[in-house]
Amino acid sequence: MEEVQYLDWNNSIQILNKAFEAGLFVLIIGPKGTGKTSLVRDFAQSKNMNLQSINFSLRTRESHLVGSKTLTDGTVTFDEGVLIKSMREGNTLYLDEINAAEADVLLRLDEALDDRRQIVLKESTGELIKAKENWFVIGTINPLTHSGTKELPPQILSRFPVRIRLEYPPEDIELEIVKKHVSGKHESEIIQAIKLANTLRQAAAVEELFYSPSLRETIAFAKLLDKGMSSKDAAKFVFGNVYTQWGNIEYQKVSDIITSMFGN
Ligand SMILES: Nc1ncnc2c1ncn2[C@@H]1O[C@H](COP(=O)(O)OP(=O)(O)O)[C@@H](O)[C@H]1O
Ligand SMILES: [Mg+2]
């Protein structure tokens, strides 16, 4: 994938910089596709820091964070996980969708995130790992309204005292972001698509629809136009068809909106 420069439309990089300098960990809260991962990548790059990442799910185990024993050529070695690696190297650890993690995993994480910034490697030698000076942790969570998300225990929340809210951007900013990803033609159609996305987002916010399109969709729409697709088709394939998952009534509701905006 091509690298697209992150557009820092709400000064998030500055907040990350201040938090980093103050040694405070950061939680980014926002729905999917609002640029959380891009923001963190851009920040790490600007700091010339290596980024260790983990994307949490119900299947994430402590061993993914801490590490596990492996047998190679008859000897048992310990393969350190992302948490230990990032602590040793003193770089940035990116904990994506941390509220999808199970309680026992969070508990182990909490050990490292507390003010002493250290963890006992009980799985291996029992060594006490102390994080290097510049160790920095950024977590993300989806708002609780999103299905499948759990509430983060207050104790874990308190380890991230700086909280950045990342919402869908205002229309003109979204247009600017989308244009970073495509050739720059089709501006009026892209504006229409952003309006459509915002209509669907608002309906999803009040639970009239089950799905809220992200910046990924408005960017995908623009890319299809770049490849010669009509805006009506692109709207159908990117924004409309997904709603058939929730049945014909839901789909028809969105189809009517698309027809009214992009024609028959
Ligand atoms: N501010 C921005 N500047 C440039 N691209 C952005 C910006 N915000 C979102 N994007 C693009 O939108 C898409 C989704 O962003 P991503 O960082 O993956 O979101 P999230 O991690 O919140 O799900 C990516 O293609 C990303 O490049
Ligand atoms: Mg992401």
Side-chain angles (χ1 to χ4, degrees), residues 58-71:
L58 292 175
R59 274 174 302 175
T60 308
R61 299 277 85 97
E62 273 182 62
S63 59
H64 297 127
L65 283 174
V66 178
S68 54
K69 285 183 175 139
T70 52
L71 189 64

Side-chain angles (χ1 to χ4, degrees), residues 97-115:
E97 295 180 51
I98 191 174
N99 56 336
E102 296 277 24
D104 60 320
V105 177
L106 287 177
L107 206 65
R108 200 66 207 285
L109 195 58
D110 191 49
E111 183 187 346
L113 294 178
D114 103 351
D115 295 338

Side-chain angles (χ1 to χ4, degrees), residues 32-38 55 94 96-97 140 216:
K32 70 184 160 49
T34 46
K36 299 185 291 298
T37 301
S38 319
N55 189 263
Y94 178 46
D96 205 11
E97 295 180 51
T140 73
R216 278 194 201 103

Side-chain angles (χ1 to χ4, degrees), residues 40-243:
V40 174
R41 285 214 190 105
D42 195 80
F43 166 77
Q45 210 169 36
S46 75
K47 282 262 168 295
N48 239 330
M49 274 205 282
N50 204 348
L51 194 64
Q52 302 276 1
S53 317
I54 183 163
N55 189 263
F56 286 92
S57 73
L58 292 175
R59 274 174 302 175
T60 308
R61 299 277 85 97
E62 273 182 62
S63 59
H64 297 127
L65 283 174
V66 178
S68 54
K69 285 183 175 139
T70 52
L71 189 64
T72 24
D73 301 330
T75 34
V76 178
T77 54
F78 189 75
D79 243 353
E80 292 182 346
V82 283
L83 173 66
I84 306 299
K85 276 190 194 148
S86 75
M87 289 174 83
R88 278 194 199 280
E89 292 167 13
N91 56 33
T92 299
L93 176 65
Y94 178 46
L95 306 170
D96 205 11
E97 295 180 51
I98 191 174
N99 56 336
E102 296 277 24
D104 60 320
V105 177
L106 287 177
L107 206 65
R108 200 66 207 285
L109 195 58
D110 191 49
E111 183 187 346
L113 294 178
D114 103 351
D115 295 338
R116 283 166 300 172
R117 311 266 198 257
Q118 61 187 38
I119 190 169
V120 177
L121 211 53
K122 63 176 190 211
E123 291 83 352
S124 137
T125 52
E127 183 189 350
L128 179 71
I129 312 280
K130 282 178 181 281
K132 223 170 152 182
E133 176 77 18
N134 278 341
W135 187 50
F136 190 44
V137 183
I138 305 173
T140 73
I141 57 175
N142 288 334
L144 283 174
T145 48
H146 283 237
S147 63
T149 51
K150 294 178 294 190
E151 208 173 306
L152 207 58
Q155 170 197 357
I156 304 280
L157 266 178
S158 72
R159 305 298 186 210
F160 301 89
V162 179
R163 291 90 187 220
I164 296 177
R165 277 186 63 211
L166 212 51
E167 285 299 319
Y168 303 116
E171 259 176 42
D172 54 328
I173 305 269
E174 184 160 352
L175 176 64
E176 232 183 293
I177 294 172
V178 173
K179 282 163 74 179
K180 278 177 164 285
H181 292 258
V182 291
S183 70
K185 289 176 283 184
H186 314 292
E187 182 165 308
S188 63
E189 288 100 326
I190 295 171
I191 292 172
Q192 276 293 88
I194 292 170
K195 286 191 197 305
L196 169 62
N198 280 327
T199 303
L200 301 175
R201 289 165 187 165
Q202 279 151 23
V206 295
E207 289 171 1
E208 271 172 26
L209 290 175
F210 285 105
Y211 183 77
S212 186
S214 74
L215 269 83
R216 278 194 201 103
E217 274 99 339
T218 48
I219 292 167
F221 173 91
K223 284 184 171 172
L224 290 178
L225 295 201
D226 258 11
K227 297 294 172 203
M229 193 182 279
S230 72
S231 55
K232 187 184 185 265
D233 278 348
K236 183 174 84 181
F237 291 119
V238 173
F239 295 102
N241 287 349
V242 65
Y243 292 95

